[in-house]
Amino acid sequence: MKLVTAIIKPFKLDDVKDALKQIGIQGLTITEAQGFGRQGGHTEVYRGAEYSIDLVPKIRIELVVDDSTVDNVIETILNSAKTGKIGDGKIWSTPVDEMIRIRTSERGSDAL
Amino acid sequence: MKLVTAIIKPFKLDDVKDALKQIGIQGLTITEAQGFGRQGGHTEVYRGAEYSIDLVPKIRIELVVDDSTVDNVIETILNSAKTGKIGDGKIWSTPVDEMIRIRTSERGSDAL
Amino acid sequence: MKLVTAIIKPFKLDDVKDALKQIGIQGLTITEAQGFGRQGGHTEVYRGAEYSIDLVPKIRIELVVDDSTVDNVIETILNSAKTGKIGDGKIWSTPVDEMIRIRTSERGSDAL
Amino acid sequence: MLAVTYIPYPSWLVPGDNTWQLTAATLVGLMSLPGIAVLYAGLVQKKWVVNTMLMAFTGFSLVLLVWILWAFNMGFGTNPIGGGGGTGIMHFFRDMVSMPHPITGAAAEQQQTSSFSQTFVPFHFPTSTFAYFQVVFAAITPLLFLGSVIGRIKFKAWLIFVPLWCTFVYAIDAFLLWGGGYLASEGAVDYSGGYVIHLSAGVAGFVAAWVIGPRLAKDKAHAVPNNLPLVAIGAGILWLGWNGFNGGDPFYAGVDAAAAVLNTNLATAAALMTWLVIDMVGSKEKKPTFLGAINGMICGLVAITPSAGWVNGLGAILVGVIASTIVWFAWNYLPKIRPFSKVDDALGVVFTHGIAGLTGGLLVGILADPRMIEYGVKGKNYAGAKSSFVSGLLYGGGFHQLWEQFRAAVWVIVFTAVMTYIILKVVKFICRGLREPDEVLAIGDLAIHEEEAYPRETFAERISSVPTRQDDRV
Amino acid sequence: MLAVTYIPYPSWLVPGDNTWQLTAATLVGLMSLPGIAVLYAGLVQKKWVVNTMLMAFTGFSLVLLVWILWAFNMGFGTNPIGGGGGTGIMHFFRDMVSMPHPITGAAAEQQQTSSFSQTFVPFHFPTSTFAYFQVVFAAITPLLFLGSVIGRIKFKAWLIFVPLWCTFVYAIDAFLLWGGGYLASEGAVDYSGGYVIHLSAGVAGFVAAWVIGPRLAKDKAHAVPNNLPLVAIGAGILWLGWNGFNGGDPFYAGVDAAAAVLNTNLATAAALMTWLVIDMVGSKEKKPTFLGAINGMICGLVAITPSAGWVNGLGAILVGVIASTIVWFAWNYLPKIRPFSKVDDALGVVFTHGIAGLTGGLLVGILADPRMIEYGVKGKNYAGAKSSFVSGLLYGGGFHQLWEQFRAAVWVIVFTAVMTYIILKVVKFICRGLREPDEVLAIGDLAIHEEEAYPRETFAERISSVPTRQDDRV
Amino acid sequence: MLAVTYIPYPSWLVPGDNTWQLTAATLVGLMSLPGIAVLYAGLVQKKWVVNTMLMAFTGFSLVLLVWILWAFNMGFGTNPIGGGGGTGIMHFFRDMVSMPHPITGAAAEQQQTSSFSQTFVPFHFPTSTFAYFQVVFAAITPLLFLGSVIGRIKFKAWLIFVPLWCTFVYAIDAFLLWGGGYLASEGAVDYSGGYVIHLSAGVAGFVAAWVIGPRLAKDKAHAVPNNLPLVAIGAGILWLGWNGFNGGDPFYAGVDAAAAVLNTNLATAAALMTWLVIDMVGSKEKKPTFLGAINGMICGLVAITPSAGWVNGLGAILVGVIASTIVWFAWNYLPKIRPFSKVDDALGVVFTHGIAGLTGGLLVGILADPRMIEYGVKGKNYAGAKSSFVSGLLYGGGFHQLWEQFRAAVWVIVFTAVMTYIILKVVKFICRGLREPDEVLAIGDLAIHEEEAYPRETFAERISSVPTRQDDRV
Ligand SMILES: Nc1ncnc2c1ncn2[C@@H]1O[C@H](COP(=O)(O)OP(=O)(O)O)[C@@H](O)[C@H]1O
Ligand SMILES: Nc1ncnc2c1ncn2[C@@H]1O[C@H](COP(=O)(O)OP(=O)(O)O)[C@@H](O)[C@H]1O
Ligand SMILES: Nc1ncnc2c1ncn2[C@@H]1O[C@H](COP(=O)(O)OP(=O)(O)O)[C@@H](O)[C@H]1O
């Protein structure tokens, strides 16, 4: 199994979620994140003082998938999250040793 | 070493934390997350307009553990986080190449 | 490729980010986290009732790097995040199977 | 009291009246700042909070200046531009306003107030008091319709729109209904601004939302409010501030002021509970909602405004129940049909102010009780000839008042709509567009003001302006 | 002033008094909305903010309607149900209230106010003013004890409980202590509601918390407040609003009103500092806390309420210091013993209102200074015979006043406790239970109102109601 | 009005005046709590919110007690310590204050107010009213300079600093400029506290920031505000509350009070728009900012304070435009040069209060219009001999007034600076330091108060105090 992690633009979340649902993904976990990268941050001015915020808001999606589905999942995220502008984000996958559903203690693919 | 990641219901955090302490776990990191899965989300109504929130609040626990402890840790989380109702969450483990304590630069099990 | 995850003290973020920039890191993702560990938490008192907060605010940094850079990155974080006091945090690295830039669909090192 | 040894007042001044009028004006001012500013700030998306608040603060400031420099005398001056003569349609069009001129001089500020309409009731305070009381009304009006256009109007366009609208819409309606103009002289009444303020704001907001175009589709679809306690703060200040809004309009701290205050609260309580109960039994979710209750509250406040001191307590309760019910159904069903389905009135001002104001204005013609006396009162000082009261259909007044109320409503709706449209076209020309560009809209506050409502210190690094001292202790 | 050419007042009206009374009433109204609504909203857990605020807004609205439709005349009417005759125990039980009837008619709203108790002091404003001033007091009382029952009371039960409680507890206590009933005629006094409002709210809240049962154990154990600045907003409005609360109770804008305002502020400042200092030297952490200071502030405000215009400045300071000290110790030690350890009075209303109100009420019997005159005053218009003042133990009054204060306290405690219990049993029957089910309690606002206090736009997707236009620009 | 049958006032009391004064005082009180408390709470970093609010609440309380126990009589007593005699420099130094003594007795609270300066204008309300009105001014002053020292001052030092400063700086300046002291008798004027309050607060804050030392370098570099809606709430209350601040200073609800209210609003609107426009054309980002607008608003409010009832409307607008412009440039350029670059005046009080107050105070000497009459007014009761007005340079007054204003400014600046320095040295000695230790500063609220502004319930577990019942339902 693999853990696919994707960093995307926040306003793309709905699209990505819908696209993943379409291909049968039943679960995922998201966290609010801040990204630093090529995409510039911005400036904020409070009472005349400038502050540089070089982190931009991102959504971090995590989902564990069967080896067989990984490519499809990545492809789907790629398509649905892309705007073509700098800052679209990254996807990476890492190996998973074990996956368990807490409710039932099912393991492996059954736990997805 | 392994990185054990658990997605649990927020109100179970205290129980899980206590259970892990009991078996000698000395450290872990949590982030606030939102889960999408079988557990339904909810509706919010503002000024007559309905909004569907299909993400539910979750707590994401991460802890790096020795290979020898992994099973015990997973078992402990399973027991303490379970309510038996949909949405109890997942546990997965992934391989860790290296673990370092920043304060002392200790590596491996010493860093836990 | 490796995914390096670092848990650091929030006020060290600027230093770590600057140090990583110096050695040529072009991107990373951070999330706000809460750590439980040797570093004690604190007490809050509201209207005479004491609450124990045993979690301390941390910043969680994630960055995917080439195998060749891992050591340098870890070293850099170690140096820039260290205060020598309990609670400085951890660094761990895990293997990455695949890394993709969403904008261009580039893979591997090109995606960094 | 006669033994008071030193009297620093001119003979026409009554300190109790002056105090009430200044207090009432201050309460009305608080309804705008912070009232409406934070009520709306709580209702908009997080990314629009700063923009909304700054438009409220600047709108208030601009009206203050415009009013004192020229518009007060347009609405409440003594000198109709047409000379005050003529009858019928001539009267109407020749005398739509009084001559504009400032009231910034020492004499103007300090003399007893008088307006074209005050032939029989002299007010016992100076022009400063009267002008200030009137300006807080003039100032809240654009702040109300701000709710229709938030989330896309160009900030500079707002700065130009407000002064023009105050001059060419508000001042004229004020003269016609309050300043002694045609509608007033025909018998139409508007106790504290159900038409001049609320109906007009509802119409102006709706037209402006239509002319400026909708928010980004994404914003519209994700339009959740950001902070309900902020709404509660604004709402509470609105409710109690309305004691000044309606209580100040007899311009005497007398019996009718007290009745207006009580009636305002009765109508509001009834309207709030009405909306809540309909939500509980009639909405899809059958649940009581806080923002629903606040909508009902606003309906009650608005609907009682045109009649506060002319209905009795029972009438006030009826006004609240009826207006809240009508607006509830309008709110839930009208957005499905044209033109409402086509116009993005962001916070629904056309409903809670427009329709509620219209309902309240017409109800004057039905529920006004002639025994509710604005100026003359029974007792030793009873001034029968100068009494001011209104008779509705249910109290023997026949259809006369209802007809006058209807005519005035038609005027306010048509005039406000047309003028708002024209003014916006002018503003569009001056500002090269009425909307911020879409990429700015996608970001909101940060793009327009480089500020956000709830900044996060963790990620900010000061880069300029005041240099950081080298020798700071760490 | 004599030269004023047009007098629109009836001969009994004094504009300065009417203004003060309306202003004071508005200040008291602001204490409820937004005052208490946001003070409590800040103190509860995040998941209860909306529910708390909506109970405050609806409670206020319901009392307004109940009051004007029947309860005002029960407390302040001219016609005791027993006819006003009888002595002793007969007097007491025959005349617990006046005849209920509405004051919604034109005559009722506009005539000079009078109540059964006003045999010698006619007030110089109309019934509208008096009824409105009294209703904001009646309305804040349930809002205060709301703090005891938040986090589990069924929303519908609240909507029924409040009108019944206002009718069968508040109106009766108001008549007995203020409206000319038995306790008043015996000599018990309550300047602005230390008993009628605060002691009663504390007792009612405590009994209600007991009858309804505690919050979820989890909620109780995690009961951290969610927003301290919100508490600051509410607290600031409470403090300054109290100028109207106590300053309005002579019903004249005279000398005693001013003294009451000053004394209120003195007691409050002293009480705030007292709690702070005890926290700094006596609490486990030995730290000054903001919410502790606010608790102290409320103790001062509440404790000075029964005596504000009857103690001198030194007395006021003593009231603040004593009440704050007593409540500090009660707050920290009583929860360990029964019945306090058994009852989940969520925000501690029984302490900051109940015990503080009781302390203040008894201190009248000790600290009241007969030279503090409520109505008659020295000088040209000195009205010796009609003077109203109170003598405490320290100022030569002996134990008489203390005894009366004690008797009245016993009555208020016992009567409120018993009636609250009975009313809740009735409400329980009507609503089939007084608590929301536990699975609803686990969720809070979202389950009951489908709203949350601080919604996050990122995760919301509109699904229904107003259709999104197809042609929206993106 | 003559038919009023029962007069409960002493012959010197006018209810309209008393009402206005108490209302105005309440508005000014609201400017502090919750006004300044939440304005500043919104502007500071999240970790300093609780500390800031608690210093505001305690500062207000301490001044209240100090004032009534001794300081009121120092500033506004009838009995200069030097006996009131002497001329020139003797007069000045012998009579810097009146004899301190409390006003807590029944007689003191209830008698007609009088001060050393009131030889010709008797006020028509009791000492309680006057003292309360004055104390809310005295209390807001330390709250203003709190903005300079937040983020490092030791909490205990604050509790000692405030009473000393109120006694040894504020009371003296108040006597000299308002209480009939030397500066007043020479002709310097300060309508509502441009010098006594704002200039003095700016100077005291600056000196204190310097003596106490800067915030942590990290805090200074990351000094983003945490909550802009909170700033809006505070700002709105400040603006409208200022109607009482300036409107209350004639001490009569007369013509000049009304003019002062109107002028205050004009200056403020002009100043807000001025800052906004300069931001839009002159700042690096060329963007309108909300906090800039609020800075401008404060400049207007402060600058019109010394002249509110002595300039006409045009003068008021000029005051707003000039002060806002000057402070804008000072704000943006002075921090680059010494001593400003060396002193960490956290919220910039020296600019928005110090420089704005100074500008406004000097402008009195230029713009005061002698036709603006504070007490005597034209008409039947014209009291020529007792009229109070001021003539500026532009209105034929020559340089006299400007010179007096200048001298008074020099005094206030020098005296405040020196005394603040001395007091702080004393406090430092008493408290063993003026700063919290650096490790405490790194944490903020949690370290000092064990509270945080926006606690997160998820992570809290109750560990002590009230025991959790075993039998709680789950
Ligand atoms: N090496 C990395 N490891 C982890 N996250 C990264 C890395 N590089 C970039 N990111 C994440 O991806 C986001 C987008 O990267 P950025 O360089 O701005 O644009 P793009 O990916 O389009 O070139 C960043 O904001 C950050 O959250
Ligand atoms: N494939 C997955 N990868 C990562 N997280 C998942 C995955 N599936 C579910 N989750 C997380 O687990 C939570 C619970 O899943 P859900 O399907 O609702 O219930 P259950 O696990 O009891 O069947 C989700 O809210 C989500 O946070
Ligand atoms: N086994 C672990 N797995 C994941 N995170 C950990 C682990 N142990 C500690 N941490 C994280 O590291 C932080 C610092 O750990 P702590 O034990 O307090 O200090 P130190 O690392 O200096 O010994 C914790 O707050 C937690 O976020």
Side-chain angles (χ1 to χ4, degrees), chain B residues 27-29 63-64 101 103, chain C residues 7 35 38-39 58 87-88 90:
Chain B
L28 52 80
T29 301
L63 69 170
V64 177
R101 163 174 291 128
R103 171 164 51 96
Chain C
I7 311 294
R38 280 170 192 77
Q39 183 189 5
K58 298 284 170 196
D88 274 354
K90 311 284 178 196

Side-chain angles (χ1 to χ4, degrees), chain A residues 34 44-45 50-52, chain D residues 222 450 452 456 461-463:
Chain A
Q34 307 278 327
E44 301 189 9
V45 181
E50 271 178 61
Y51 298 88
S52 146
Chain D
H222 288 72
E450 281 177 352
E452 53 179 337
R456 302 208 293 183
E461 203 174 343
R462 179 175 283 191
I463 48 172

Side-chain angles (χ1 to χ4, degrees), chain D residues 365-376:
Chain D
I366 297 172
L367 295 170
D369 179 342
R371 290 165 304 172
M372 299 298 298
I373 314 275
E374 190 173 9
Y375 296 118

Side-chain angles (χ1 to χ4, degrees), chain D residues 328-390:
Chain D
W328 192 94
F329 283 98
W331 182 276
N332 281 286
Y333 296 105
L334 284 189
K336 290 172 186 150
I337 61 170
R338 289 169 171 251
F340 298 92
S341 62
K342 289 286 163 197
V343 174
D344 179 23
D345 177 0
L347 301 184
V349 179
V350 74
F351 301 111
T352 50
H353 294 275
I355 295 182
L358 177 60
T359 305
L362 295 176
L363 284 176
V364 174
I366 297 172
L367 295 170
D369 179 342
R371 290 165 304 172
M372 299 298 298
I373 314 275
E374 190 173 9
Y375 296 118
V377 282
K378 298 253 161 64
K380 204 166 165 193
N381 303 96
Y382 182 61
K386 296 179 174 183
S387 287
S388 168
F389 54 83
V390 184

Side-chain angles (χ1 to χ4, degrees), chain B residues 1-4 25-30 61-66 99-104 106 110-112, chain C residues 6-9 33-40 54-59 83-92:
Chain B
M1 304 183 96
K2 300 286 178 204
L3 168 65
V4 176
I25 292 300
Q26 303 221 348
L28 52 80
T29 301
I30 73 162
I61 299 177
E62 267 178 321
L63 69 170
V64 177
V65 292
D66 265 336
M99 170 72 166
I100 309 150
R101 163 174 291 128
I102 294 176
R103 171 164 51 96
T104 56
E106 285 161 295
D110 294 342
L112 294 183
Chain C
I7 311 294
I8 62 166
K9 292 190 165 159
Q34 308 279 328
F36 162 73
R38 280 170 192 77
Q39 183 189 5
D54 56 6
L55 297 163
V56 285
K58 298 284 170 196
I59 292 286
T83 68
K85 301 222 188 82
I86 285 183
D88 274 354
K90 311 284 178 196
I91 307 172
W92 63 79

